[in-house]
Amino acid sequence: MKISSLLTCGLSAVLSSLFVLTPEKVHAVIERAEFRHVQAEVSYDQKEDNFRVLNLRLKLIRDGEIILNQPIPTRSEEFDRPYFRENDPSSWVQDLDGDSEPEIVLTFFTGGAHCCFYSLIYRYDRASQNYTYMTHDWGDGVAIPSLKDLDDDGIIEFYSRDSRFAYAFTSYADSAFPPRIWQYHQDSLREVTTRFPEEIDSSATQLWESYQTRKETYGDEPSNVRGLLAAYLATKYLLEEAEDGWQRIQDVYLHDDRSSFFADLRIFLQETGYISNARNPISPEAIDLWTDRFFYSVNPQLSERKIRPDETEYVREWNAIQSVMQALLIPHNHNCESGLANSALANSAGLANYDSVSRNGVNLSSKDLDRVADAIFYVRNPELGDRQIQPEETRLANEWLRIRRGVSRLHPCD
C-alpha cells in the first residue's frame, strides 16, 4: 500500500509538471487606430486553438495624455471577441456626429452560427474629462454596420440591415434584409432610414431583381421567394409606395398559401414598425367603408341607419371595428368576377385572408375575421378585459361564434 501510494503521488507530480511546462498557447494582439487628436488601442490575448480571447483592454489617449486604460466591459468574458472590418481597420475611431470630437466604436461577436453582434460606442465627456459608453445590439451578422457619410454632411451613418427578417418567412439562406440606417446623437443611436430614399430605392431595385433571378434560376417555390418578397415590400413601405408593393407581390405570388403568407407578412411588418399610420396607403374612406360593412353585418336590426350620438354602445363597437380595419387592411387584394368588378369593397382595399372565404358560408380559418369578431365581442363584454373565454363558459363561446358567423357573411365581391 505504501509503495502504491508513493507511485501514485510520483505519477501525479510528473503529470502536474508536464501541464505546467506546456501551458495553453496564446499570443498578444494589439489593434490601433487614430483620428485627429485621439489614439485608441485595443489589446487582448488570443488563444491559438480556439476563438477565445483574454484580457481585453482599451487604452484611449487624447492630446498625448492617457485618459482611459481599463478592461473592456464585454457581456461574456468567455465567448465575446472583438470584430474589426478587414477592409477598413481604422474605421472604428471616427467623429460620428460632426462635433470635432472622435468617438470609438468597438464591435463584438458573441459566437454562434449567425448571432450575435453588438457595439460599444465611447464618447468623451468634457464635464468629467473622461469617457462614457453606450451599447447597441445589431443581432445577426448581416446587420453589422458599415460607417460612412451617405449624404456628405459631416455626419456618419451606420448602414446596417434588418436582421429581424432572418428566418421570418423561409430559411436563413433564402432570407433577405431591407436596409436600416442609424445616426449617433448624444449617447444614443437613432434610426434615420427614411431620410435616405435613394438608398432605399436602390435596395428595393436590387431585391426585386434578386427575386426575378431567383425565380428564373431555382423556380418560384414559396421557400425560394418569400424572403425576398417580404424584404421588398418593407422597402416599399419605407418609400411610401406600399400600394404598388402589395400589387406587385399579389400579382406574382399565386401559391396556395398566399392568404396566410399575406396575413403573416402584414402582421410582421406592423410588429417591426414598417406599417404605421404615417405609411398606411389605405384611405380613411376605405377604412370607414369596411367598418360600416362589418358593423351592419352584425347589427342587421339597424337596417344600415346612421348611429345616433347617444347610442354609446354602438359608437364604441363601430370605433373598435375601425381600429381593427386600420391594422388589417391592405391594398388591392381581390380578384372578383367580372360582373362584380365594380364592388365598392373590391376596389378599395381588403383583408389578406379573404382569399379563402366562401361566398355562402362561414370560414373559421381566417385570422383576420377572428380579430374582427374579437373586437366586437370584447366591446360587448367589457367586464372580461381581454382574457380568453374558458371552456366552461358556453354562453360566451356561443356569443362569440354568432358574431364570427355574422362577420363571415360579408364578402368583398358582394
Side-chain angles (χ1 to χ4, degrees), residues 21-92:
L21 292 174
T22 57
E24 190 172 11
K25 292 182 179 180
V26 298
H27 63 275
V29 178
I30 299 178
E31 301 281 356
R32 293 187 176 92
E34 180 176 351
F35 191 87
R36 294 176 182 164
H37 57 291
V38 173
Q39 298 86 43
E41 177 181 295
V42 173
S43 62
Y44 54 92
D45 296 327
Q46 174 73 64
K47 290 191 174 185
E48 292 188 353
D49 60 344
N50 58 43
F51 291 105
R52 288 188 60 192
V53 300
L54 304 171
N55 305 319
L56 264 164
R57 294 186 68 85
L58 172 64
K59 180 190 291 187
L60 297 176
I61 304 170
R62 189 172 183 274
D63 294 324
E65 179 183 356
I66 298 176
I67 303 298
L68 182 144
N69 187 5
Q70 64 184 28
I72 298 173
T74 55
R75 295 175 176 174
S76 171
E77 295 182 2
E78 183 176 1
F79 297 108
D80 293 8
R81 51 188 181 271
Y83 173 86
F84 295 95
R85 284 190 177 274
E86 296 179 358
N87 60 342
D88 189 4
S90 66
S91 67
W92 51 282

Side-chain angles (χ1 to χ4, degrees), residues 275-286:
I275 298 179
S276 65
N277 288 337
R279 299 172 186 160
N280 193 346
I282 309 302
S283 69
E285 292 79 13

Side-chain angles (χ1 to χ4, degrees), residues 140-177:
D140 188 87
V142 71
I144 300 172
S146 57
L147 277 58
K148 48 190 174 183
D149 187 354
L150 295 174
D151 52 1
D152 298 320
D153 65 347
I155 306 297
I156 299 297
E157 279 76 42
F158 289 70
Y159 190 97
S160 178
R161 296 284 176 180
D162 195 340
S163 62
R164 295 174 295 181
F165 282 72
Y167 299 108
F169 300 99
T170 185
S171 67
Y172 181 86
D174 294 318
S175 297
F177 309 92

